[in-house]
Amino acid sequence: MQAEAKLQEMGLELPAPMKVPPGFTIPFAWTRVRGNHVYISGHGPLEPDGTYSGPSGKVPSEVSLEEARQVARKVALAVLSSLKRELGDLDRITAWLMINGMVNADPGYPQTTLAINGFSELILEVYGPEIGQHARTAVGM
């Protein structure tokens, strides 16, 4: 399998590392390897140059479900970018086990799972069902 070739075939590029705003510090690692597992910190959506990408706001009153799906897709690319920097090769990933997605949603919004599908679908498209299949939560915040 060639994850990076698949991304290129899809017309997608991994974003640069997140450009942190002035005065903002990140006292944690984006990824942490222990044994044969990688623990991944929460990520946001990034543009190719590493700047934060929108839109921001509550789903569905300020951001449409389709926009939220696209944001989740950009988050997946940001995660893959961090993994590439940590592992050197995205093909070292042999299984996606668990994804926890958080959606900035209006109270009682029942479709958070559909928003996070943007993340899951990208991972499945890049890795296929054997490696990409994962357990998942998708909660509204």
Side-chain angles (χ1 to χ4, degrees):
M1 192 214 35
Q2 298 284 327
E4 290 178 67
K6 181 64 175 176
L7 287 166
Q8 279 186 328
E9 179 185 304
M10 295 166 63
L12 300 172
E13 70 177 283
L14 297 178
M18 185 177 122
K19 291 184 179 174
V20 180
F24 192 82
T25 58
I26 298 179
F28 58 86
W30 291 108
T31 56
R32 185 91 165 136
V33 176
R34 278 294 173 260
N36 62 353
H37 287 83
V38 180
Y39 296 88
I40 304 168
S41 295
H43 282 62
L46 299 176
E47 293 297 332
D49 68 357
T51 58
Y52 178 80
S53 176
S56 296
K58 293 202 175 289
V59 181
S61 63
E62 299 169 323
V63 174
S64 73
L65 175 57
E66 184 52 37
E67 288 172 315
R69 288 172 51 86
Q70 291 306 312
V71 166
R73 193 171 172 89
K74 286 183 175 182
V75 171
L77 288 171
V79 167
L80 289 171
S81 182
S82 291
L83 287 167
K84 165 75 175 162
R85 285 189 302 280
E86 181 70 35
L87 302 174
D89 182 358
L90 291 176
D91 289 337
R92 289 185 61 197
I93 297 168
T94 59
W96 285 80
L97 301 177
M98 182 70 186
I99 293 171
N100 295 304
M102 293 158 218
V103 179
N104 182 9
D106 291 322
Y109 182 64
Q111 296 181 324
T112 55
T113 195
L114 297 178
I116 301 301
N117 280 354
F119 188 111
S120 293
E121 289 163 356
L122 179 77
I123 298 304
L124 286 165
E125 196 170 348
V126 170
Y127 284 95
E130 183 68 28
I131 294 172
Q133 192 59 254
H134 52 271
R136 193 186 81 187
T137 59
V139 297
M141 308 301 274

